[in-house]
Amino acid sequence: MTMLPAPARRKLGLVIDLDTCVGCHACAVACKEWNDGGQFGPLPDEDAYGAEPLGVWFNRIHSYEVQPEVTPDSQGNGPLQQLYKTGFVENAPAMTVHFPRSCLHCEKPDCVTVCPTGASYKRAEDGIVLVDEEKCIGCKLCSWACPYGAREYSEKRGVMQKCTLCVDRIYNESFAPAERQPACVMACPTRARHFGDLGDADSAVSKLVAEREGYALMPELGYAPVNRYLPPRPRRNGCGDKAAAADHTETLDRDQLPPLLRWVDKLLSR
Amino acid sequence: MHPALSVIFFTTLSGAGYGLLALLGAGLALDLWPRETASLLWPLGLGALLTSTGLLASMAHLGQPLRAWRAFSQWRSSWLSREGVCAVTSYLPMAAIALLALRQDAQLPWPAAARLAGAALLAAALLTVFCTARIYSSLRTIPAWHNAWVAPGYLLFAAYSGGLWLWLLAALHQVGAPLPWDRLGLAPGPLMGLVGAALLVTALKLAYWRRIDGPAAVADIGSATGLGRYGTVSAFEKPHTEYNYINREMGFVLARKHAARLRAFALVCGLGLPLLGVLAAIRLPDYSPSFAALALLSGSLGIFVERWLFFAEARHVVNLYYGARRV
Ligand code: SF4
Ligand code: SF4
């Protein structure tokens, strides 16, 4: 049924920390591996080792460059505004942000309502958006309706495929409770990915979002995504002193040195 | 957006077919249509052929065509499903009119049922085209489609291309008629209707292009990534080295590069030359079937290019993740 269910209290989703993501693609690979063999697989590739490989992935890792644009009267308090306040902005380097992108399990997703067959649906009990591949006719309309590029069509299977939030893991009682998490969350080496109930204000993920000012992507489109992204933290730049930055003298933190060098530094500084 | 040939054939062919059927329906409902069986069965058969071919072409677009019947189920939320329901429903008045045409007694006035069936056909044909347009114009992700110009455009193009077919049928039917006006095929009223439709379609299309060329953007790379608050965002590295489904389906750029020429071609071929055809036929009514055929040919080609542009020029917001700055 492609009518949206009444808004659920449980909103399962992901919280992705752009501060700690190192862009290693481990989550994407783990996702591909699990889902290729999981309940919603396979995720076939075409021409996998040829000139133009093409295949379905539920998770894609972009990298963006952010060139600071901070003016002296800037009101913001983001990392680059803070850089400005340290006087470092004249030489401020661009910031690189790694950015995993997958289905955001939106609360008002047109990808569901446009589907003519009822194959695309949102679960009433936890808000997960799924495709029933037995019903999908492969018209691709849902992928047009998704602003976030979360749906990829499988030419080989003739149906639409997308992130399932590992619904075949998170409720899987044959797994130890600690493993009832999406494969991407389990795989991330920097723990940049968190899974939980964003409809519950007391859940660990909701607290994390509140504490780190997590945000939704492209809210102006009105899809009300459930997933949240945690912004990069202010960068430690090692040049807190404006005067020191200006005359380019290097600062040395003696406490960081090994004991022998610390002694040498003390000796020579007399 | 990637302009899939199957979808372009579908929207242009079925548009012409439903346009023709709508004209027939309107003529019957107003009791203006000639009574001979052939005058009824030709447009009816041709309309059925065009719309059915269009529907088959659209099935070619599906990954699982055998399951297409499932598409009738979600009419409560999906314009694609509604379109399917309307398209299938329109066969009912078509069948009724065919029966009436075969069994009518030309001595008696039309039964009310014929006018009713005509009205039903008109409604079903217009609704189907409207649903087709709404499939596109309801997508908030594609600003070039999500606007008020799209649905009237589809409806007018359907009426206009149906009118071109009707003119050809009528001109062939009237070859050798005694009066020169009759040899034109269409009476002055409908013929001027065709001209008017062409002019209206031109105005609408120009307004539509003005609108999609405008600066209005729904989102930018800063809001798509949420990083705009820190400065100017640009794509540094893509997630994959080759094109994926998203890039192939939604990252089509060829048309925007050649947009100006293709638009001019669509207008001249689709609307300008058929208008010249009408003028030429008025001057030389004996050749009106040839002019009607040429007008139809050139008009169809122009509308095909117009529809190709409709898809190919439209940009999807997902391109923001791949480096587009504003969509
Ligand atoms: S991210 Fe896309 S596919 Fe996922 S729920 Fe939202 S609109 Fe649908
Ligand atoms: S591709 Fe499948 S899931 Fe998507 S809208 Fe079409 S039928 Fe529904």
Side-chain angles (χ1 to χ4, degrees):
Chain A
M1 179 48 78
T2 57
M3 294 293 284
L4 290 176
R9 252 190 324 124
R10 253 162 87 77
K11 298 177 195 165
L12 296 187
L14 296 173
V15 173
I16 296 172
D17 189 343
L18 299 180
D19 188 58
T20 48
C21 174
V22 290
C24 69
H25 295 240
C27 53
V29 174
C31 166
K32 178 95 173 175
E33 190 203 10
W34 171 262
N35 285 296
D36 193 32
Q39 193 184 322
F40 293 84
L43 270 62
D45 292 320
E46 289 154 57
D47 197 20
Y49 300 96
E52 285 180 35
L54 176 69
V56 175
W57 293 67
F58 296 166
N59 189 8
R60 302 278 190 179
I61 322 302
H62 296 255
S63 300
Y64 297 100
E65 185 179 85
V66 186
Q67 188 64 50
E69 235 177 35
V70 199
T71 48
D73 55 303
S74 172
Q75 294 300 307
N77 200 31
L80 289 157
Q81 279 93 346
Q82 299 206 1
L83 269 190
Y84 180 81
K85 287 170 193 155
T86 65
F88 187 63
V89 83
E90 293 80 34
N91 315 307
M95 171 167 71
T96 310
V97 180
H98 303 293
F99 185 95
R101 175 177 60 82
S102 58
C103 175
L104 309 167
H105 298 282
C106 306
E107 287 184 72
K108 296 178 191 156
D110 283 2
C111 65
V112 168
T113 50
V114 299
C115 175
T117 63
S120 180
Y121 65 104
K122 185 169 175 71
R123 287 163 47 117
E125 61 271 38
D126 53 18
I128 299 180
V129 174
L130 292 175
V131 175
D132 179 346
E133 59 203 37
E134 300 292 313
K135 286 190 188 157
C136 174
I137 56 174
C139 69
K140 305 177 187 161
L141 191 55
C142 54
S143 67
W144 295 5
C146 171
Y148 306 103
R151 295 177 167 241
E152 298 194 14
Y153 174 74
S154 170
E155 206 69 58
K156 277 226 168 114
R157 300 185 57 195
V159 294
M160 195 54 73
Q161 298 193 278
K162 68 175 291 300
C163 161
T164 65
L165 209 57
C166 283
V167 70
D168 50 353
R169 287 185 65 97
I170 58 179
Y171 295 111
N172 195 332
E173 297 195 344
S174 63
F175 284 177
E179 299 206 344
R180 291 178 202 162
Q181 304 252 346
C184 56
V185 174
M186 299 287 297
C188 178
T190 63
R191 302 222 182 171
R193 304 177 72 94
H194 307 267
F195 162 72
D197 180 3
L198 286 145
D200 170 7
D202 293 326
S203 68
V205 280
S206 296
K207 285 185 179 151
L208 194 58
V209 169
E211 179 192 327
R212 296 274 308 280
E213 295 178 22
Y215 61 83
L217 305 183
M218 263 197 285
E220 63 269 42
L221 259 91
Y223 282 55
V226 168
N227 286 10
R228 289 287 182 271
Y229 285 74
L230 305 181
R233 287 191 176 90
R235 296 283 149 105
R236 267 174 246 119
N237 52 58
C239 49
D241 181 5
K242 203 168 182 170
D247 66 356
H248 295 290
T249 42
E250 293 167 306
T251 54
L252 176 66
D253 183 358
R254 195 184 280 159
D255 293 343
Q256 296 290 317
L257 296 172
L260 181 65
L261 289 182
R262 206 184 303 157
W263 178 74
V264 172
D265 180 52
K266 238 188 205 161
L267 194 70
L268 294 177
S269 304
R270 283 210 180 139
Chain B
M1 300 295 292
H2 171 70
L5 281 188
S6 51
V7 177
I8 296 172
F9 271 116
F10 160 64
T11 59
T12 51
L13 286 178
S14 73
Y18 287 117
L20 184 57
L21 291 173
L23 293 174
L24 172 66
L28 284 175
L30 300 172
D31 206 359
L32 297 171
W33 206 267
R35 291 286 299 271
E36 311 98 81
T37 310
S39 307
L40 289 163
L41 286 187
W42 269 106
L44 192 65
L46 194 65
L49 187 73
L50 286 170
T51 53
S52 308
T53 319
L55 288 175
L56 286 178
S58 77
M59 299 250 300
H61 176 72
L62 300 182
Q64 299 281 355
L66 292 182
R67 298 179 189 163
W69 57 273
R70 288 190 182 275
F72 302 121
S73 65
Q74 302 301 315
W75 48 269
R76 291 202 299 157
S77 71
S78 161
W79 284 104
L80 178 51
S81 186
R82 288 174 195 159
E83 179 201 42
V85 172
C86 290
V88 169
T89 312
S90 67
Y91 284 106
L92 290 177
M94 282 194 239
I97 292 168
L99 269 181
L100 285 165
L102 290 171
R103 303 181 57 183
Q104 65 162 325
D105 183 344
Q107 309 308 319
L108 299 175
W110 268 121
R115 300 186 65 167
L116 218 65
L121 183 61
L122 172 68
L126 291 183
L127 271 177
T128 311
V129 177
F130 180 71
C131 291
T132 308
R134 287 295 286 145
I135 295 175
Y136 305 114
S137 70
S138 68
L139 295 173
R140 285 182 275 173
T141 47
I142 304 170
W145 294 354
H146 188 58
N147 59 62
W149 300 103
V150 170
Y154 267 73
L155 285 167
L156 259 177
F157 264 107
Y160 168 67
S161 53
L164 288 176
W165 280 97
L166 182 63
W167 185 30
L168 177 65
L169 283 183
L172 286 173
H173 191 61
Q174 300 276 30
V175 178
L179 288 173
W181 260 120
D182 288 346
R183 268 176 260 146
L184 273 177
L186 292 179
L191 203 60
M192 285 309 117
L194 187 63
V195 172
L199 294 176
L200 245 145
V201 161
T202 312
L204 205 82
K205 208 64 220 181
L206 288 173
Y208 169 79
W209 282 326
R210 243 183 93 99
R211 147 98 206 204
I212 69 169
D213 290 342
V218 294
D220 60 28
I221 188 170
S223 68
T225 58
L227 298 171
R229 67 190 87 178
Y230 302 133
T232 313
V233 185
S234 57
F236 176 63
E237 199 173 32
K238 291 185 181 170
H240 35 88
T241 52
E242 299 305 316
Y243 273 18
N244 69 350
Y245 164 75
I246 298 290
N247 305 136
R248 290 185 185 201
E249 185 80 0
M250 292 153 207
F252 198 79
V253 288
L254 179 74
R256 287 189 292 276
K257 191 170 159 204
H258 303 293
R261 278 188 188 181
L262 288 168
R263 287 176 182 182
F265 180 87
L267 285 187
V268 169
C269 231
L271 306 156
L273 292 181
L275 282 183
L276 280 183
V278 173
L279 291 182
I282 293 174
R283 291 283 298 164
L284 304 165
D286 287 335
Y287 297 99
S288 55
S290 316
F291 288 126
L294 286 175
L296 175 62
L297 209 72
S298 143
S300 306
L301 194 66
I303 293 170
F304 188 88
V305 173
E306 179 274 326
R307 209 46 58 84
W308 188 86
L309 276 174
F310 176 77
F311 286 91
E313 281 196 290
R315 275 154 67 92
H316 193 289
V317 293
V318 75
N319 288 298
L320 295 172
Y321 291 103
Y322 286 90
R325 296 199 170 274
R326 295 156 68 75
V327 170

